């Protein structure tokens, strides 16, 4: 008896499947692990902020030293608002230039003059007096100017105005 409607697919010209080569049990395929590592690396590079001017809040001091402004060369740092650089003022209230290069030379000139003034002895420290809203990057910028120009300076103090 002949069977009707059944087709035998076993007689086609299919190539026989090659058996997979077995690896020794000691070897481990680390390709998926490398893929995941690169995916995580790409995620963190794209998701992170690499902005060195990123603002941060200066933490409140729990205690500090009382430093006399008479014994220090004082620079006031006030927030300008937005992305504008901070306003820098001398002890007498006059502003430094808004141009960075000019402000740098003015700060060095001002501090040189202030440190040479004497009330019995020469001033040997600088005080950066800032507001709580001043960006950390601005304080760091002024501190770098002072540090680069006056490497033999004894102290640089950073003070935050109290409310």
């Amino acid at each position: 008896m002949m069977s009707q409607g059944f087709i035998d697919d076993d007689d086609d010209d299919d190539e026989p499947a090659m058996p997979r080569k077995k690896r020794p049990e000691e070897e481990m395929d680390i390709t998926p692990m490398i893929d995941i590592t690169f995916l995580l690396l790409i995620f963190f590079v794209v998701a992170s902020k690499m902005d060195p001017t990123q603002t941060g809040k200066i933490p409140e001091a729990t205690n500090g030293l009382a430093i006399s402004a008479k014994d220090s060369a004082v620079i006031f740092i006030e927030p300008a608002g937005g992305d504008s650089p901070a306003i820098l003022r001398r002890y007498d209230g006059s502003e430094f230039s808004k141009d960075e290069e000019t402000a740098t030379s003015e700060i060095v000139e001002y501090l040189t003059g202030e440190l040479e003034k004497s009330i019995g002895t020469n001033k040997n420290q600088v005080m950066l007096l800032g507001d709580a809203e001043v960006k950390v990057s601005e304080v760091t910028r002024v501190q770098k100017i002072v540090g680069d120009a006056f490497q033999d300076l004894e102290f640089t103090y950073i003070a935050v105005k109290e409310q």
Side-chain angles (χ1 to χ4, degrees):
M1 182 178 211
M2 267 182 109
S3 62
Q4 296 175 356
F6 291 105
I7 300 174
D8 189 12
D9 288 2
D10 292 338
D11 295 336
D12 288 337
D13 291 340
D14 289 337
E15 293 182 17
M18 297 290 292
R20 291 186 76 182
K21 180 180 174 185
K22 292 190 177 186
R23 295 186 179 139
E25 290 185 25
E26 298 155 8
E27 269 188 51
M28 185 169 147
D29 186 18
I30 63 168
T31 306
M33 196 178 330
I34 293 171
D35 291 343
I36 295 295
T37 303
F38 281 115
L39 286 172
L40 286 171
L41 178 66
I42 291 168
F43 170 77
F44 285 118
V45 166
V46 171
S48 64
K49 292 182 181 179
M50 298 291 190
D51 187 10
T53 61
Q54 187 175 5
T55 61
K57 293 245 179 207
I58 298 174
E60 290 185 27
T62 54
N63 58 15
L65 302 172
I67 305 300
S68 172
K70 293 178 184 178
D71 298 333
S72 305
V74 180
I75 296 177
F76 294 100
I77 306 173
E78 299 173 0
D83 291 336
S84 303
I87 300 167
L88 304 176
R89 296 186 189 273
R90 294 172 181 83
Y91 190 68
D92 63 7
S94 60
E95 281 188 33
F96 289 102
S97 174
K98 300 237 186 269
D99 179 49
E100 259 189 72
E101 290 180 24
T102 309
T104 301
S105 62
E106 287 179 1
I107 289 170
V108 171
E109 182 181 318
Y110 166 72
L111 290 177
T112 302
E114 284 292 309
L115 292 172
E116 288 176 355
K117 287 181 185 177
S118 62
I119 308 172
T121 60
N122 287 341
K123 295 180 181 182
N124 59 0
Q125 58 198 22
V126 173
M127 182 186 308
L128 305 177
L129 182 59
D131 189 89
E133 300 299 317
V134 172
K135 296 178 183 176
V136 173
S137 60
E138 291 296 327
V139 175
T140 306
R141 180 178 68 91
V142 177
Q143 192 175 18
K144 182 173 177 8
I145 292 169
V146 172
D148 290 346
F150 304 97
Q151 295 176 356
D152 58 337
L153 191 63
E154 193 171 327
F155 293 106
T156 301
Y157 292 102
I158 299 172
V160 179
K161 290 182 187 175
E162 293 186 53
Q163 295 181 11

